[in-house]
């Protein structure tokens, strides 16, 4: 069980570019809205600031240099965090007012109106960011569904009606699992760890039982599938797969940066989650393929 679980993960890394490509496509669609929308909002912000400062003596070149200096002060070794800071209302307001103070002296008479213009700009950018997040989530979900179909076909192919049964069981189990997760999160300290371990063991038990119903009913005694040994090995295999995905992500982050590491690492975790969800089925199906039908279980 344990070795097969690890093999299943590496075997299905061949589909690595499927979730990655779907996520990238979603991000591209999102950026096609975010970039021009932000540019238009920035242009409107510039026009508003010019109107507010109409009549004031201002050196635009000095303003640009002062603003660029503030941008360079951000920690661009962490581009996602830096971009989030640069688009925040607090940073924009503080930076722009700082630039104007350096150029014009006291800008209290302009500050409130400038803050209002920045708030409008940030509101527009927030909407475009939500659109980006929506398309990214859509790409992630689409890639997950399609990749799961490929992985299932590869290691745990099942008839359509069996997939419907599995889907119904999964739906019920998801609600129960959500309640149990909320309970585990409410725990503290050592109790939280015990609750998390118990939850993972429960997931393994239900997964094996579900796989038995789909692939091995009337072919193998239930006790040969759902037992302490198989539950423990499935648990260890799932933990090992998760740690492998984490190791790949950490290594990528160390070799590149956090943005690239997180983006590519999501594909490793996506495949890990799918394989973890299908490991029980893959194991039970492999056991059931050559097992003869049991007469006593047919009655």
């Amino acid at each position: 069980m344990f070795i097969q679980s690890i093999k299943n993960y590496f075997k299905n890394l061949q589909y690595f570019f499927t979730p990655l490509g779907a996520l990238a496509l979603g991000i591209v669609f999102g950026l096609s809205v975010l970039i021009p929308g932000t540019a238009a909002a920035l242009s409107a912000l510039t026009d508003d600031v010019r109107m507010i400062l109409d009549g004031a003596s201002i050196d635009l070149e000095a303003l640009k240099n002062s603003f660029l200096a503030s941008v360079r002060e951000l920690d661009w070794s962490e581009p996602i965090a830096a971009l989030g800071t640069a688009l925040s209302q607090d940073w924009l307001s503080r930076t722009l007012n700082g630039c104007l103070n350096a150029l014009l002296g006291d800008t209290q008479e302009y500050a409130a109106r400038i803050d209002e213009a920045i708030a409008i700009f940030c509101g527009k950018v927030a909407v475009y960011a939500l659109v980006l997040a929506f398309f990214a989530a859509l790409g992630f979900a689409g890639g997950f569904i399609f990749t799961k179909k490929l992985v299932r076909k590869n290691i745990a192919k099942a008839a359509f009606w069996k997939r419907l049964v599995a889907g119904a069981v999964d739906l019920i189990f998801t609600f129960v699992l959500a309640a149990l997760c909320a309970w585990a999160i409410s725990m503290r300290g050592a109790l939280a760890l015990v609750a998390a371990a118990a939850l993972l063991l429960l997931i393994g038990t239900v997964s094996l039982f579900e796989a038995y119903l789909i692939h091995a009913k009337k072919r193998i005694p239930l006790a040969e599938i759902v037992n302490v040994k198989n539950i423990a090995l499935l648990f260890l295999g799932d933990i090992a797969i998760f740690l492998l995905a984490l190791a790949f992500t950490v290594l990528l982050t160390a070799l590149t940066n956090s943005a690239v590491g997180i983006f590519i690492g999501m594909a490793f975790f996506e495949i890990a989650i799918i394989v973890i969800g299908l490991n029980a089925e893959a194991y039970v199906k492999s056991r059931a393929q050559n097992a003869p039908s049991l007469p006593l279980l047919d009655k």
Side-chain angles (χ1 to χ4, degrees), residues 39-299:
L42 187 58
S43 177
L45 174 62
T46 303
D47 291 340
D48 289 343
V49 172
R50 281 176 178 167
M51 289 179 61
I52 293 168
L53 299 175
D54 187 32
S57 176
I58 180 170
D59 184 346
L60 292 178
E61 185 65 24
L63 176 63
K64 182 184 75 171
N65 292 336
S66 179
F67 181 78
L68 289 177
S70 297
V71 170
R72 292 191 192 99
E73 289 177 0
L74 296 172
D75 183 9
W76 290 103
S77 63
E78 296 291 339
I80 295 177
L83 187 60
T85 301
L87 292 177
S88 69
Q89 181 177 343
D90 180 66
W91 185 88
L92 284 169
S93 179
R94 184 162 30 86
T95 300
L96 188 52
N97 279 305
C99 293
L100 294 176
N101 277 322
L103 294 170
L104 303 174
D106 185 12
T107 59
Q108 288 300 315
E109 61 178 298
Y110 308 116
R113 294 170 63 191
I114 289 174
D115 284 343
E116 183 181 352
I118 292 174
I120 293 172
F121 167 76
C122 290
K124 292 178 181 177
V125 173
V127 172
Y128 298 133
L130 285 175
V131 173
L132 171 62
F134 170 77
F135 278 111
L138 199 62
F140 181 87
F144 185 90
I145 292 170
F146 189 66
T147 304
K148 186 171 184 177
K149 286 185 177 181
L150 295 175
V151 174
R152 176 178 284 282
K153 185 177 180 181
N154 194 19
I155 64 174
K157 190 175 182 180
F160 178 72
W161 71 268
K162 290 183 177 181
R163 294 201 301 272
L164 284 179
V165 172
V169 174
D170 283 342
L171 184 62
I172 296 171
F173 184 54
T174 297
F175 285 108
V176 176
L177 184 60
L180 291 173
C181 282
W183 169 74
I185 291 171
S186 68
M187 297 291 181
R188 294 181 181 233
L191 283 177
L193 294 176
V194 172
L199 193 57
L200 288 174
L201 291 173
L202 176 62
I203 292 171
T205 304
V206 174
S207 298
L208 284 169
F209 182 71
E210 179 185 331
Y212 171 80
L213 292 177
I214 296 172
H215 296 288
K217 189 179 180 183
K218 297 184 180 181
R219 298 187 67 85
I220 302 174
L222 177 61
E224 290 188 17
I225 300 299
V226 184
N227 54 55
V228 174
K229 178 183 176 182
N230 283 344
I231 293 170
L233 290 175
L234 181 63
F235 172 78
L236 292 174
D238 291 348
I239 293 296
I241 290 172
F242 180 83
L243 291 177
L244 281 170
L246 181 62
F248 289 146
T249 302
V250 170
L251 180 61
L252 274 170
T253 302
L255 293 175
T256 54
N257 56 57
S258 59
V260 174
I262 292 172
F263 176 71
I264 299 179
M266 288 181 72
F268 286 116
F269 275 103
E270 211 165 336
I271 293 174
I273 292 169
I274 292 169
V275 172
I276 286 172
L278 293 175
N279 264 337
E281 280 193 56
Y283 168 74
V284 175
K285 184 178 180 181
S286 67
R287 284 284 307 274
Q289 279 179 339
N290 299 319
S293 180
L294 298 179
L296 289 177
L297 295 178
D298 286 336
K299 295 180 180 180

